[in-house]
Amino acid sequence: MTAESSAPPTATAPPTATYRLQLQPDLPFAAAEKAVPYLAALGVSHLHLSPVLEAVPGSTHGYDVVDHARVRAELGGEEGLRALAATAAAHGLRLVVDTVPNHMAVPAPESLNAALWAVLRDGPASPYARWFDIDWDGGHGGRVLLPVLGGRLGDELGNIRVDGDVLRYHDHAFPIRPGTERLPLPRLLDAQWYRLSWWRLARSEINYRRFFTISELIGVRVEDEAVFGATHATILRLLREGVVDGLRIDHPDGLAAPGDYLARLHAATGGRWTVVEKILTGRERLPHGWSCAGTTGYDALRHLDGLFVCPLGSGRLFTVYRDFVAPLADAGGDWEETVRRAAYEVVTHDLAAEVERLVRTAGRVSDQASRQGDHAPWALRTAIRELLVRLPVYRPYATDHAGARDPRRAEQDAAMLAEAAARARTVFRSPQEALAVDLVRDLALGLLGDGPDCEDFRARFAQTSSALRAKSVEDTAFYRYVPLLSACEVGADPGAPTVGVDTFHAYCARIQRDWPLTSTVLSTHDTKRSADARARIAVLTECPERWRDLLRRASAGPGEGPQPPDQHLAWTAWQTAFGLGKPSAERLIPSVLKAVREAGLQTSWTEQDAGYEEAVGEFLRAGPCGPAASLLTELAADLAPYIRANVLSAALLHLTMPGVPDLYQGTETEFTALVDPDNRRPPRLRADLLTELDDGADPQDLSAEKLLLTARALRLRRDRPDWFGVHGTYTPLHADGSAAGHCLAFVRAGRAVTVATRLSLRLAEDGGWRDTELTLPGPGPWHDLLTGREVPGPVVCLRELLARYPVALLVGEG
């Protein structure tokens, strides 16, 4: 019986708020179970768990799944998961689980992935061959390329040995094709369904779909009904049995047809609350036809962060950056140029194999089409590359039948590809050769029929587009264009980092109307800097001259210890250290080394410059983590009130805006963390502090204030779900007076009012709130959940309302 033919689970109430726990061997189900009483007291309705199915041993994230049929033993197995669910239920909580439909691990030893093992042993005839997105005709004599060797095959033969019916290479193990066991090693290697190769061949020769450019993760074909059933059976069973209540879908853009997948999943789950990790770019909207509650929330993060970036100051900060770093336009000096160069590098180098697959497929279509034929491979290759680098979003959705329910999206994709095609044609000298662009565009839009090659091309084009956008923007340009590191976040636009009050209100109104149960986030396991680290950095846009002065002082005195190997690195290091708050070499060096490798300007993951990286470490120890760290400490102390305003305001807006807030572990208190693995350490949960606050203790620091705010807001959402859910309303409130632009306020369902402060340093420099007032949606009385005070309405003086905290959460008594 397939998963789809089983009776779907019964729909349950959607979450009011979720709390993400990053499970790993150091944080198994048993540890999560111990946290349940605290999280229930905090006020969330659901625990949000990272992937729970069997993964590569020791994995700290769980996205490298090896077996969909089993709950991960290292976390406590299914018994441990059920115990966690039972304890959660006893405290009124349910579980949301991260699900990974796009890929599985290519582990070492490979036998850990039984399905892949069967394919490597038996080839295309294996019943599991349909599981994986392998191009058997993509060269290598009908074999799967496995880029696992540390050097060329001839140099590594001495490290490869036969062990019965297994071929071993260091930690790797491969099945030997039956009947070939007794062949001499060179002939035995040639006789397998796979080709062992030097790892550097992956970029140009690999013939299976990967997760982005990670060869250790192989694409899974969940568009196949049988594959969907097999890979989702355990998760769906756990849903039916009440162990799991909702799903987070990892990287849907990697799928052949995300909308179709979600429609199938929606039917199989009985409509359980499901959100998708879809990254929206610019004005892009989630496809209307998708059967889900919304995104995982990076669009909300972008709108929240942008509120705290000063429009004028960010421009002046860029000037300081330009003068200090002097970057070339395409290496961090101009956002669009930096993205374009990165995209060309990735599409021609890292994704060369994926492009070549598209070239072969387009060539077959061209050869068979009377009006579309006679396109040289080089022309098709150029057309594919030029179209891909010009797409402003992660991917088009022409492969989705679900997209037929959203004609607006289809029109947008057509217009987007038409504009990209117009620009792509300009690189051709001959207009006739430029017709290759039209062929590729029509194939990408599904205008040339539904034959196997046409269907394959538009799916692979979309999947390659997604990988290109992720690798060139998230993993390259964000590390090259660094005037404001807090704007270099997934889904953000570092070239236009500010968000105005009216834009934020319009976004919230649209979310409440179209996707009221979407997830919203400020920090995740994938954010490059936690929300509080970004809040610290954002203050620099309000005082760019002070940042310039700090850098001048930090750079003075050549010869007094190690100097930065380059100014781009120095800028990145100092701003990262400021965001971290208390720089330590142990935490800062891995993060900055990752940044310079991702940037790929001086060193990279695959071509590491040991001398440069050693110089980076020496500079960090002597500079931001050395005596000069006092410069950061002094500036942070001076800016502490404004950092506090950013942290508390962003938190309250997140917890009360439309959508379902998802809190990342530990972020209910002050949490400054850098990119993984720094942000994936097991959290310190402050149950003791929460108890003290509930007993009436006065908050003594920012962590206590943030915890108080978080608990009060979450409990309000839990107790009044009708105010914040599908049937709630969102109404902007506008202040009057000289400082009105520094207030962001709204009311939910006419009963709960949020008031937050933005650009607080500029507010203080301009004389404070002075005469600024806010008109509440009724006479009240209103009760401030943070201070306990009664607030008479309908008009309140912001100077008085926000005297204790830079935020207020008011509840009407009527």
Side-chain angles (χ1 to χ4, degrees), residues 31-43 47 87-88 91 93 687 690:
E33 192 175 350
K34 293 178 181 178
V36 165
Y38 163 73
L39 297 177
L42 190 63
L47 304 189
T87 299
H91 288 79
L93 305 183
L690 182 60

Side-chain angles (χ1 to χ4, degrees), residues 734-788:
H734 299 284
D736 296 306
S738 57
H742 293 280
C743 174
L744 194 148
F746 53 80
V747 58
R748 303 302 311 274
R751 303 296 297 280
V753 172
T754 289
V755 185
T757 303
R758 58 189 297 266
L759 308 181
S760 59
L761 174 55
R762 289 295 168 85
L763 172 66
E765 292 174 340
D766 291 340
W769 291 111
R770 291 181 289 178
D771 60 343
T772 309
E773 298 177 329
L774 181 68
T775 300
L776 301 175
W782 296 85
H783 179 69
D784 187 346
L785 294 185
L786 304 183
T787 64

Side-chain angles (χ1 to χ4, degrees), residues 37 87 124 234 270 412 416 444 515 524:
T87 299
T234 297
Q412 291 171 347
M416 173 184 68
W515 303 97
T524 76

Side-chain angles (χ1 to χ4, degrees), residues 385-540:
R385 287 174 176 172
E386 295 297 328
L387 273 174
L388 284 171
V389 300
R390 286 172 168 77
L391 294 184
V393 298
Y394 275 68
R395 61 169 282 172
Y397 292 101
T399 52
D400 266 344
H401 295 100
R405 298 194 295 272
D406 188 3
R408 180 177 57 184
R409 182 61 190 236
E411 293 174 2
Q412 291 171 347
D413 281 355
M416 173 184 68
L417 277 161
E419 181 177 352
R423 296 179 180 178
R425 292 188 198 98
T426 63
V427 306
F428 288 86
R429 294 184 177 181
S430 164
Q432 293 300 312
E433 290 174 336
L435 291 175
V437 174
D438 296 339
L439 172 67
V440 173
R441 177 203 60 200
D442 290 350
L443 279 170
L445 287 171
L447 301 179
L448 298 183
D450 294 320
D453 280 334
C454 292
E455 185 174 326
D456 180 78
F457 184 92
R458 63 178 181 262
R460 307 303 162 231
F461 182 88
Q463 291 169 317
T464 304
S465 173
S466 172
L468 172 61
R469 184 79 186 181
K471 293 303 299 179
S472 61
V473 178
E474 293 177 34
D475 293 344
T476 305
F478 277 177
Y479 291 100
R480 292 181 177 178
Y481 184 86
V482 293
L484 182 64
L485 289 179
S486 61
C488 298
E489 202 51 79
V490 177
D493 183 356
T498 62
V499 172
V501 170
D502 291 342
T503 300
F504 180 81
H505 284 317
Y507 167 78
C508 288
R510 179 172 57 80
I511 291 300
Q512 181 62 39
R513 181 192 68 219
D514 297 340
W515 303 97
L517 296 178
T518 189
S519 187
T520 62
V521 295
L522 271 176
S523 297
T524 76
H525 63 291
D526 273 340
T527 43
K528 301 186 189 317
R529 295 156 198 92
S530 66
D532 293 351
R534 301 197 309 275
R536 295 173 62 87
I537 294 170
V539 174
L540 300 179

